[in-house]
């Protein structure tokens, strides 16, 4: 059952030089209780698309969509006031750098208790008890005394656990995590991902994980959405994306994940070139300039999404039924 259903979302930023088409008509959904990963390079539109549907963009941004349904509520028509109520209550967010998201002037306890008092109208004592309980859930030792400490007294990993605690404090239905482990070292990264996986199972919360690193979400997400140049180029189950990828950009992302097989040294291959300028987006496929398989049609016309299974779609001319035989060999 769908918790979030986004249809044809477009986001444009109006700047002096013109209009930056940051998100160019994306459609995806998140089922109840599942985790999806949105993956792509910087500037692919992954974070902007989530901030757009939560209406957290600056005033020069324009959001358009055919529909954004969250738990049966149409968010396109929801005003800022109702949206603010929903944020923190029904939808929790975790950002990349907990040090800049936490207020250094307030104790951890005050920052966890604030949403509980505002959204759930709990008394001070009730909010304190709930804050202790949630700190215990995110595996912070001695929560009673930690509650009185300030953010600088916590390590990077512990601060991210506090951010998760704040995001989960009001038992949201959806948790959006924007590069939650990028600022952490590898071992702490693994602990935070384990914790999020456990919490998803225990608390029955759906998770959208935004990342530039496919490797991070391999063991965490049920489905993966691959974004490039403000569009979705491929989406499918984690198995489909890792074992049957069909889009050349997804192939590039997979080749850039470190592999550690015994006795074997595999070279990491980066994707040459840089993402398109979305002030003047390409007429055809956004990946043309960097794609080793680009054909003449790729420059002229954007490829449409082609369904490969009930769960797997990709947008690439190589998969078109009329593509030349050599194209079929490339994708097989
Ligand atoms: Fe490459 Fe063309 Fe496919 Fe785009 S549509 S990914 S340029 S082959």
């Amino acid at each position: 059952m769908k918790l979030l259903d986004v249809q044809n979302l477009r986001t444009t930023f109006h700047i002096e030089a013109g209009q930056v088409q940051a998100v160019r008509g994306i459609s995806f959904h998140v089922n109840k209780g599942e985790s999806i990963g949105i993956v792509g390079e910087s500037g692919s539109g992954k974070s902007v698309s989530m901030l757009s549907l939560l209406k957290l963009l600056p005033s020069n941004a324009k959001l358009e969509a055919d529909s954004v349904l969250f738990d049966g509520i149409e968010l396109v028509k929801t005003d800022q006031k109702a949206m603010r109520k929903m944020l923190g209550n029904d939808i929790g967010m975790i950002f990349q750098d907990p040090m800049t998201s936490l207020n250094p002037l307030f104790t951890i306890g005050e920052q966890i208790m604030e949403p509980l008092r505002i959204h759930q109208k709990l008394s001070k004592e009730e909010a304190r008890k709930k804050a202790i309980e949630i700190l215990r859930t995110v595996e912070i030792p001695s929560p009673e005394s930690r509650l009185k400490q300030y953010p600088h007294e916590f390590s990077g990993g512990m601060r991210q656990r506090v951010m998760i605690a704040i995001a989960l404090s009001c038992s949201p239905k959806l948790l959006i995590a924007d590069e939650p482990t990028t600022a952490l070292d590898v071992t702490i990264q693994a602990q935070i991902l384990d914790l999020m996986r456990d919490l998803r199972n225990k608390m029955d919360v759906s998770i959208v994980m935004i990342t530039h690193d496919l490797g991070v979400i391999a063991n965490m997400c049920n489905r993966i959405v691959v974004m490039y140049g403000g569009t979705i180029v491929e989406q499918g189950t984690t198995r489909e994306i890792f074992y049957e990828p069909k889009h050349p950009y997804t192939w590039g992302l997979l080749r850039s994940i470190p592999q550690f097989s015994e006795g074997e040294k595999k070279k990491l291959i980066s994707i040459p070139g840089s993402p398109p300028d979305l002030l003047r987006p390409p007429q055809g496929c956004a990946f043309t300039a960097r794609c080793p398989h680009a054909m003449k049609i790729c420059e002229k016309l954007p490829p449409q999404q082609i369904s490969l299974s009930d769960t797997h779609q990709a947008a690439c001319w190589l998969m078109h039924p009329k593509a030349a035989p050599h194209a079929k060999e490339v994708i097989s």
Side-chain angles (χ1 to χ4, degrees), residues 112-122 127 130-131 169:
I112 301 176
M113 283 155 66
E114 191 190 6
L116 291 166
R117 301 208 62 195
I118 294 173
H119 294 295
Q120 304 214 326
K121 311 274 179 255
L122 298 188
K130 182 84 199 244
S169 58

Side-chain angles (χ1 to χ4, degrees), residues 24 228-229 231 233 276 280-289 295-304 315 317:
R24 302 188 294 144
Y228 185 79
T231 63
V233 294
R280 291 166 206 85
Q283 199 186 336
C285 170
F287 195 51
T288 309
M295 302 166 280
K296 272 195 179 156
I297 193 170
C298 306
E299 279 175 31
K300 295 196 174 93
L301 288 172
Q304 300 302 307
W317 283 116

Side-chain angles (χ1 to χ4, degrees), residues 108 128 131-149 154 158:
I108 293 302
R128 203 185 74 85
I132 291 171
E133 187 189 313
I134 195 92
L135 278 183
R136 208 165 270 137
T137 310
V138 297
E139 296 163 12
I140 290 191
S142 320
E144 290 87 350
S145 54
R146 292 299 241 166
L147 219 50
K148 296 175 199 140
Q149 293 181 316
F154 285 69
M158 283 292 168

Side-chain angles (χ1 to χ4, degrees), residues 23 27 82 108-109 114 136 143 159 162 169 179-180 197 208 213 223 255 264 270 272 285 295 307 314 317 328:
V23 181
S27 302
I108 293 302
E114 191 190 6
R136 208 165 270 137
R159 279 197 290 267
V162 170
S169 58
E179 306 270 10
R197 215 176 9 242
V208 175
D213 184 352
R223 287 186 302 115
R255 278 196 297 265
E264 226 188 305
S270 61
C285 170
M295 302 166 280
S307 282
W317 283 116
K328 300 214 164 34

